[in-house]
Structures are given as C-alpha cells and as structure tokens.
Amino acid sequence: RFITPHNNNPRSLSEMSNPWSTGLFDCFSDIGSCVCVYFCPSCSYGQIVSILNTGQPGGACGDCGSCCVFCLLGYFGFVVSCGTRTQIRNKYGLREEPCSDCLVHFLCLACALCQDFREVKKQNGLMGAAAAPEVEEMSR
C-alpha cells in the first residue's frame, strides 16, 4: 500500500515510521513558536503552510490565504489544520501519533500547531536561526 505525500514521492507505510522531533506537549522547547501560536494561531498556521510549501516562513502571516481561512473558521480551524498535519507527516515520513491527525487537532489545537510549527522549522533548517543578521560596525 502506498501513500502519495505532498511532494508527490510515493512512500510505503513502512517508510513512514520516523518519530516527531518533539512531543505533542513540548510546547516550551521552542518558546518563539509557542508565543506565536498562543497570541495568533492563524498567523502561525499561515507560517506552517508557507514553510511546508516553500521552505521559508514568508512574512508575518506566512501563507496569507491559509491564515485568513484559519482565522475565519475560528475554533473550527482544526478542520483545515488537521489536513496540513497529514501533509507534514507524509512529506517527512512521520508516524501518526498519539492518535489520528484530526483528533489531535480537535482535542489539543494549540499543542498540535506548536508541534507542527516546530517540525516544519526543524525539517527546513529554521530551528534556532537568528532572528536578525549580525550588524557589522562601520569604520571611519
């Protein structure tokens, strides 16, 4: 049995056994993502989609269309975010744990968004990246 992930490379179910880089409740392991999800979950969702699709966060709201849809859906944003979690799992070959993607997003949306955010950042080399480039002093 094969699953076609977001990047169109078929993977067998046995290949999709990589663990998530952090646990569902490890929200404080990346305080920046945690704060972003807490204060603006729709912007966080837009960032997740942008990083997943392009490898880059792309502005304050990331993928603007995704951010707006998530915002308009309110708490029912889990309906779209659980599909994105499935895309993340398929793209990076991750296990579906601790339960189904939709159930994780329905029961613990903030923790799920934090975990998704951390994972796409890690997979794209964005974890621990400096917030701003180092400033060089000018010589006279």
Side-chain angles (χ1 to χ4, degrees), residues 2-140:
F2 286 90
I3 294 178
T4 305
H6 185 318
N7 63 4
N8 294 324
N9 293 328
R11 293 179 189 237
S12 69
L13 289 176
S14 62
E15 291 174 352
M16 297 183 65
S17 61
N18 297 325
W20 289 78
S21 60
T22 58
L24 182 61
F25 302 112
D26 291 338
C27 297
F28 296 112
S29 66
D30 177 15
I31 197 70
S33 296
C34 181
V35 168
C36 188
V37 167
Y38 181 78
F39 286 105
C40 192
S42 56
C43 291
S44 301
Y45 178 69
Q47 291 279 335
I48 292 166
V49 170
S50 181
I51 295 169
L52 182 64
N53 292 336
T54 68
Q56 296 297 318
C61 291
D63 184 88
C64 192
S66 298
C67 174
C68 292
V69 167
F70 190 88
C71 186
L72 289 172
L73 290 173
Y75 183 77
F76 295 103
F78 78 89
V79 172
V80 293
S81 63
C82 71
T84 302
R85 184 176 179 91
T86 302
Q87 288 180 337
I88 292 167
R89 280 191 320 91
N90 290 341
K91 185 170 184 176
Y92 304 121
L94 303 170
R95 297 178 193 140
E96 186 172 23
E97 58 185 18
C99 52
S100 75
D101 297 334
C102 285
L103 199 55
V104 169
H105 274 254
F106 175 71
L107 295 174
C108 199
L109 183 59
C111 294
L113 286 174
C114 281
Q115 185 182 35
D116 295 349
F117 206 173
R118 290 189 308 272
E119 193 64 40
V120 294
K121 285 170 63 177
K122 179 195 172 285
Q123 294 286 348
N124 288 280
L126 300 172
M127 284 296 276
E134 194 172 307
V135 178
E136 295 182 23
E137 289 186 35
M138 291 178 53
S139 59
R140 291 186 185 232

